[in-house]
Amino acid sequence: MNRHLFKSLPFQLMVAALFAWSLASLLPLQVGFEHTTAFKLLMLTKTTYIGLLKMLVGIVVLFSLLQGITSIGSTSRLKTLGYKTIAFYSLTSTLAICLGLGVSLAIPKWPHLIDTAQVTVGSHVQLIDNSASSGGAITEKLFNMALVNPFQALATTNLLAIVVFALLLGIALLASLPAKHPIFELVSGFNIAINRVVSAVIKLAPLAVFAIVFQFTIQSGNSIFGELALFALLVFLLTLVHGGIVLPLLAKVFTGIKYSTLFRALSAPMAMAFATSSSSATLPLSLQTAQEDLGVSQPTSSMVLPLGSIMNMDGTALFEGVAAIFLAQLYGIELGTSGLIMIFIMAMVSSIGAPGMPSGSMSGMQLVLLAVGIPLEAIAILLIIERPLDTFRTAVNVEGDLIAALVVDKWQNQSTKV
């Protein structure tokens, strides 16, 4: 039992964060310690970890989205069930992001704990000018960012262009090739390999968290942990509202199902999703629940649920929107209208491509941060509390998948048992 606990990444991250905080708080550090060789070596750990993330993020987004699109199976299925499924998923993701952004902007601002002067954004990152907040200017800038050479986009980490290229290529592959073509297996194989590399990089996270929390503590004091706890509470409450009120209300409006019937059917798959933090691992139980307990037809459930395990991440979208506001205010970055629009777009897109596995949202979170100029090192701040929150997000993601199957089946005029 203890051995499993010590090997647990959340436990390692928490220990690293507490150890860094303790050292920075208790050691009598001399004035100018940030200019010493020891501190610079410590920061090299952070730089290495962030560099590895930057190296991988473009490839992760490209192949995750390609697999998400090509997993639909055929253009005929895409034309029939696909557009209705994606329409409902887009609706729920939009509601989740709007809920997160709306509440985050309505509450008092999070304190500015990190000097703006310490925030450096590479010249390769293309940002929208906050002063150009008109609809036409935003649209023009988005098109200029999106429509570039895909190899140039990968080289410069222009993630918006990578997403656009992945969408176009995925649809073209789906329309041009038979369902069992080897290239689809190749895409799946690349995803497996890339996820293995990402998993290896994530194992270095405790070292990066130690360096970053140590730096934050000597620069901003102990307030970072209090704000992080309040942020986690906010995300939990908003996720609870979306999963407990918004999604069931949509199911009631579109299908007329009773709340008691719905929650009784959803309890088992949501419990498994909570335990595994993986919507993909919960998929077999979700398929059984949809067909046997909710009366969803087999053609609908076999299309909607696998697609949802990859493309429908309401809890993730909500988390990414709230996290972007939190981190931007923590770093003292003024977002403006255009910045909020970019957060909305990127949270929507990145939630579609998020892997259905524990902490899969962290790859998409990088897209959101880069889009509005938040340093990637902020990922380490979220990792401290991300894993516990991930369990609740995944349960809501699976709930959204099952409700989508119920609604789409109703739209398809199939028989529904309630």
Side-chain angles (χ1 to χ4, degrees):
M1 177 67 181
N2 289 336
R3 179 178 296 180
H4 290 303
L5 179 63
F6 292 147
K7 290 184 177 180
S8 167
L9 181 61
F11 177 78
Q12 294 174 4
L13 293 173
M14 185 60 66
V15 170
L18 291 175
F19 187 42
W21 169 77
S22 300
L23 283 180
S25 301
L26 301 177
L27 288 180
L29 300 177
Q30 61 189 19
V31 178
F33 175 76
E34 297 174 46
H35 301 290
T36 62
T37 303
F39 184 79
K40 290 179 180 178
L41 288 175
L42 186 61
M43 290 302 101
L44 180 61
T45 305
K46 179 190 75 173
T47 303
T48 301
Y49 183 73
I50 301 305
L52 289 171
L53 289 179
K54 289 181 178 179
M55 178 181 70
L56 292 170
V57 60
I59 299 296
V60 169
V61 170
L62 173 63
F63 282 98
S64 291
L65 278 176
L66 276 179
Q67 185 171 15
I69 296 167
T70 55
S71 66
I72 293 175
S74 67
T75 52
S76 60
R77 297 183 74 193
L78 181 64
K79 290 177 182 178
T80 53
L81 282 174
Y83 80 92
K84 295 178 181 178
T85 303
I86 293 172
F88 187 79
Y89 285 158
S90 299
L91 170 64
T92 58
S93 294
T94 298
L95 292 174
I97 298 172
C98 289
L99 174 64
L101 292 180
V103 173
S104 297
L105 295 173
I107 64 176
K109 280 190 174 184
W110 303 97
H112 174 193
L113 297 180
I114 305 298
D115 248 348
T116 307
Q118 296 168 355
V119 178
T120 57
V121 181
S123 58
H124 63 283
V125 179
Q126 301 182 19
L127 305 177
I128 290 182
D129 185 358
N130 288 332
S131 63
S133 58
S134 67
I138 292 172
T139 302
E140 181 181 1
K141 187 64 176 181
L142 283 172
F143 272 81
N144 288 336
M145 291 173 63
L147 304 179
V148 301
N149 185 293
F151 295 102
Q152 178 186 348
L154 285 170
T156 58
T157 323
N158 182 348
L159 295 178
L160 181 59
I162 294 171
V163 167
V164 171
F165 175 72
L167 290 173
L168 294 176
L169 180 60
I171 294 172
L173 289 174
L174 202 59
S176 306
L177 302 176
K180 300 297 184 180
H181 196 277
I183 198 168
F184 296 139
E185 297 181 6
L186 184 64
V187 170
S188 178
F190 267 115
N191 256 310
I192 294 172
I194 292 167
N195 286 333
R196 180 163 295 183
V197 175
V198 171
S199 297
V201 171
I202 290 296
K203 290 180 180 178
L204 301 176
L207 297 176
V209 165
F210 176 87
I212 292 170
V213 171
F214 187 90
Q215 180 188 21
F216 284 174
T217 303
I218 64 175
Q219 290 175 349
S220 62
N222 299 327
S223 56
I224 181 67
F225 283 94
E227 301 303 329
L228 201 56
L230 291 175
F231 164 75
L233 178 61
L234 175 63
V235 172
F236 170 75
L237 292 176
L238 291 178
T239 305
L240 193 63
V241 168
H242 186 73
I245 298 176
V246 176
L247 290 177
L249 184 60
L250 289 175
K252 179 70 173 178
V253 169
F254 286 116
T255 70
I257 189 172
K258 296 179 180 179
Y259 291 125
S260 57
T261 304
L262 178 66
F263 284 113
R264 186 165 55 249
L266 296 181
S267 58
M270 287 184 68
M272 177 172 283
F274 182 87
T276 62
S277 293
S278 173
S279 53
S280 297
T282 313
L283 184 56
L285 180 58
S286 296
L287 286 166
Q288 180 183 9
T289 299
Q291 295 171 23
E292 297 182 3
D293 298 331
L294 293 175
V296 177
S297 66
Q298 192 275 334
T300 299
S301 60
S302 64
M303 167 69 178
V304 176
L305 293 175
L307 186 61
S309 69
I310 299 173
M311 301 184 71
N312 181 47
M313 305 287 176
D314 289 357
T316 299
L318 187 152
F319 169 78
E320 290 175 349
V322 178
I325 299 292
F326 169 69
L327 293 173
Q329 293 177 358
L330 196 70
Y331 278 86
I333 297 174
E334 292 295 331
L335 293 172
T337 303
S338 58
L340 293 174
I341 292 175
M342 284 299 290
I343 289 175
F344 178 88
I345 294 173
M346 292 305 179
M348 176 75 75
V349 171
S350 64
S351 68
I352 292 173
M357 61 183 186
S359 299
S361 62
M362 286 298 98
S363 59
M365 193 68 226
Q366 296 174 53
L367 191 155
V368 180
L369 299 188
L370 285 173
V372 290
I374 301 172
L376 271 181
E377 66 187 51
I379 288 282
I381 304 175
L382 298 180
L383 281 173
I384 298 173
I385 46 87
E386 192 273 339
R387 188 65 178 85
L389 292 176
D390 189 41
T391 60
F392 295 100
R393 292 203 310 270
T394 305
V396 172
N397 292 342
V398 169
E399 178 191 9
D401 294 346
L402 286 163
I403 288 176
L406 189 66
V407 172
V408 171
D409 196 55
K410 181 74 172 181
W411 287 348
Q412 288 290 101
N413 296 317
Q414 299 280 352
S415 62
T416 304
K417 299 176 184 177
V418 294

